[in-house]
Amino acid sequence: MKTISENTCFDGTQGVYSHASTACDGDMTFGLFLPAEAKEEKVPLLWFLSGLTCTHENAMTKAAAQGWAAEHGIALVFPDTSPRGEGVADHDDFDLGQGAGFYVNATQDPWAKHYKMWDYIADELPALLAEKFAIDPERQGITGHSMGGHGALTLAMTLPGRYRSVSAFSPISNPIDSDWGRKQFTAYLGEDESTWAKHDASKLMLEKGFDGPILIDTGTKDQFIDLLRPETLADAISKRRQQATFRLQPGYDHSYFFVSTFIEDHIAFHAEALWS
């Protein structure tokens, strides 16, 4: 593992690191904020999965999360959204290829060699963090924005017992019925739609649900709300009678101005679960 940078931040450390990834067959970069408490003991970890076109840096610099995490003594990890580099398949469209890994394991060429983002987030990076940093693997929560909200919800419902809490900002809630999903799933997973449902938060909610609290925020002025399909997830939550807080925030759009406005609520929500 290589240290790219480390900066003092709210009496803790905001670092950026790279490492050779077996899952993605190449170098991957992530940001990690460690609060001051990590100098003395292992601390809980909150994952922030970012959306389309983002790197590890977007949420790290725009979400205004570190101060609230420091207040609660929680670490934050900001993974990249896809493999990158020379030889990694890409596409001219912004919503496919590098920056658009969709948190799945691709099975189709030319994506299958590198695009194993599910394995990277579910297995490889957690193991690295627990080995190299003062992280308590028994106390994890997960959140994300847009494509990252999709990833957070699907990982949480598919890995029971892994995360104590899950939240999402403007998640892609029903990708198998949206152009933000059908396009990518066809490319990464193939034409067999029976393989897609395990990556759809609305379908997983009906089938599995989540054994813990859920918080979801979406802006009513989100310019992509028709692609996000929040109503489908809200309906699934209602039908399952899942413990959840689902909020439509009046006037807010899809930007990090929206995320930074409500990040305090989300970190406090996770802190309650992680420190209980």
Side-chain angles (χ1 to χ4, degrees), residues 68-230:
W68 302 115
E71 184 172 304
H72 292 285
I74 293 172
L76 296 169
V77 62
F78 305 96
D80 204 345
T81 57
S82 78
R84 298 178 190 272
E86 187 176 352
V88 176
D90 201 6
H91 198 279
D92 289 340
D93 292 348
F94 77 95
D95 55 357
L96 189 65
Q98 295 187 34
F102 254 78
Y103 305 102
V104 302
N105 285 340
T107 59
Q108 307 299 302
D109 291 332
W111 314 103
K113 178 175 172 57
H114 296 283
Y115 284 74
K116 304 292 186 183
M117 288 302 295
W118 181 277
D119 285 351
Y120 180 67
I121 299 297
D123 299 318
E124 186 174 23
L125 187 53
L128 178 68
L129 294 174
E131 176 187 355
K132 299 292 186 181
F133 300 97
I135 298 298
D136 182 355
E138 299 302 316
R139 290 182 292 166
Q140 296 186 68
I142 190 167
T143 188
H145 174 227
S146 193
M147 179 185 72
H150 140 77
L153 291 166
T154 56
L155 282 155
M157 287 187 278
T158 305
L159 301 173
R162 172 71 63 86
Y163 309 101
R164 294 190 182 186
S165 49
V166 59
S167 73
F169 299 87
S170 305
I172 300 173
S173 300
N174 182 212
I176 66 174
D177 292 320
S178 167
D179 286 344
W180 274 0
R182 295 193 63 82
K183 172 183 179 178
Q184 293 81 4
F185 288 176
T186 300
Y188 296 146
L189 304 176
E191 300 283 351
D192 182 1
E193 296 187 18
S194 67
T195 66
W196 298 2
K198 62 183 179 181
H199 295 294
D200 186 291
S202 297
K203 301 295 184 183
L204 285 171
M205 180 59 65
L206 288 172
E207 179 187 349
K208 298 175 180 289
F210 178 67
D211 186 19
I214 298 174
L215 172 61
I216 297 170
D217 279 318
T218 300
T220 61
K221 294 293 181 69
D222 192 306
Q223 57 271 48
F224 305 112
I225 199 165
D226 290 339
L227 293 167
L228 304 177
R229 297 179 57 83

Side-chain angles (χ1 to χ4, degrees), residues 215-261:
L215 172 61
I216 297 170
D217 279 318
T218 300
T220 61
K221 294 293 181 69
D222 192 306
Q223 57 271 48
F224 305 112
I225 199 165
D226 290 339
L227 293 167
L228 304 177
R229 297 179 57 83
E231 66 281 356
T232 308
L233 180 56
D235 183 58
I237 288 170
S238 177
K239 287 179 178 176
R240 190 173 181 83
R241 298 174 182 173
Q242 167 74 45
Q243 175 190 0
T245 300
F246 192 103
R247 307 188 301 193
L248 290 173
Q249 301 290 1
Y252 284 90
D253 60 16
H254 200 72
S255 70
Y256 271 98
F257 297 112
F258 161 65
V259 173
S260 62
T261 299

